[in-house]
Amino acid sequence: MKIVWKILLILFGVGVVAVLSALAYVRFRDMEGKHPVEPRTLDLSASDPGEGARIAAMVCQHCHLGSDGTMSGGLVADASAFGEVYAPNITQHPENGIGDYTPGEIDYLIRTGIKRNGGYAPPWMPNSPLLAQSDMAHLIAWLKSDRPEVQPSEVVQPKTRPNMLARALAAFAFQPIPYNDNAPAQPPASSDKIAFGGYLANARYGCYHCHSADFATNDLMVPERSKGFYQGGNQLTDEAGEKITAPNLTPHPDGLGGWSEADFAKALRQAQRQDGTMLRYPMRPYALLADEEISAIYAYLTHLPQAAGN
Ligand code: HEC
Ligand code: HEC
């Protein structure tokens, strides 16, 4: 009997030590790690900083726009589940911003999540592996342009303070994405409405990130393989910290079934529902979408298979 107790006690002790070591590992490991950085050579000659600024206003600004009116960064409300996450200064300041990033290094970071120092930026900085090379070039031309919002700002954001959840995910789940050498040179032609709309919704604006089942089961390389693709259900948090479920955007009656293209345009441009009530955060207005973009995204979403689910 005594022996049995001793054995149990030892096993229990071993268990406690194992759990404590796992916690210590998660808490103190270097979250960023060290990854190879293999930037490609980019051709910015045909790029348009104005188009880059327009895209950035819809996909970068809500995190990186600072209180001084430049892209000097700030606290990322969207990432509050992971602790205090700060989007850094990405103005042209050589030390406090990203003035000394080369175009290839910016492209590498946006596609893979790996920064120029080899550290991995967890997916609270969303990756865009499928972005067309021309869109990437517009964004980088904007970051390197003489537009006021990217001129050097001295601001230094506080260091991100990830919580244990973020640390555990970083230890066991978060992964850089392999560099996608097969990104298309250009978006599909706008005359092919469904292909163009699919590109916009998935690769450029990442609508499925929120409007599928869960961030954790999204497939960034093949979005169509994401669980509950555009069927909604993803549990998000609104400004008051309340749960908000991402709605279904398939043509099912629970989704866009009863929506006209004009209703859809109002939801995107003004963040208003059919009845005029406001859509809540984290749905943001996409005020700078061109008519042809809205029309193409609508055509794409309403051609998806009807699926129930939220
Ligand atoms: C949801 C918030 C969010 C959005 C949207 C976002 N970022 Fe970031 N970004 C971050 C955070 C947070 C980091 C810091 C990541 C880290 O180091 O852990 C970051 C890091 C960066 C860096 C690296 C800076 C450095 O000091 O190494 C660059 C460059 C960058 N972002 C550019 C962009 C561009 C361009 C866009 C739009 C295409 C964009 N980001 C969209 C949150 C965001
Ligand atoms: C950051 C997460 C997020 C992203 C990205 C996002 N949405 Fe949403 N969207 C939401 C949430 C949450 C709601 C619900 C808001 C509410 O009910 O107040 C919503 C609501 C909507 C609605 C209204 C649907 C309804 O049934 O009321 C439409 C239409 C919509 N989004 C389209 C889009 C499109 C198109 C994109 C990409 C251009 C997009 N969303 C990107 C989170 C997001």
Side-chain angles (χ1 to χ4, degrees), residues 31-32 52 55-64 71 74-79 85-91 95-98 101 105-107 109-110 113-117 119-128 131 136 139-140 142-143 160 204 284:
M31 257 180 84
E32 298 203 340
I55 297 175
M58 293 184 276
V59 300
C60 314
Q61 240 183 43
H62 57 274
C63 291
H64 285 285
M71 302 295 282
L75 185 68
V76 177
D78 283 18
V85 175
Y86 291 89
N89 178 337
I90 57 165
T91 69
E95 289 100 40
N96 303 352
I98 58 163
Y101 260 76
E105 288 166 342
I106 300 177
D107 164 64
L109 164 77
I110 293 177
I114 301 170
K115 296 182 277 190
R116 83 193 282 254
N117 64 7
Y120 167 55
W124 46 63
M125 160 74 199
N127 303 124
S128 304
L131 208 56
M136 184 66 81
L139 277 172
I140 295 170
W142 163 68
L143 286 166
T160 284
R204 191 188 279 172
R284 300 183 173 81

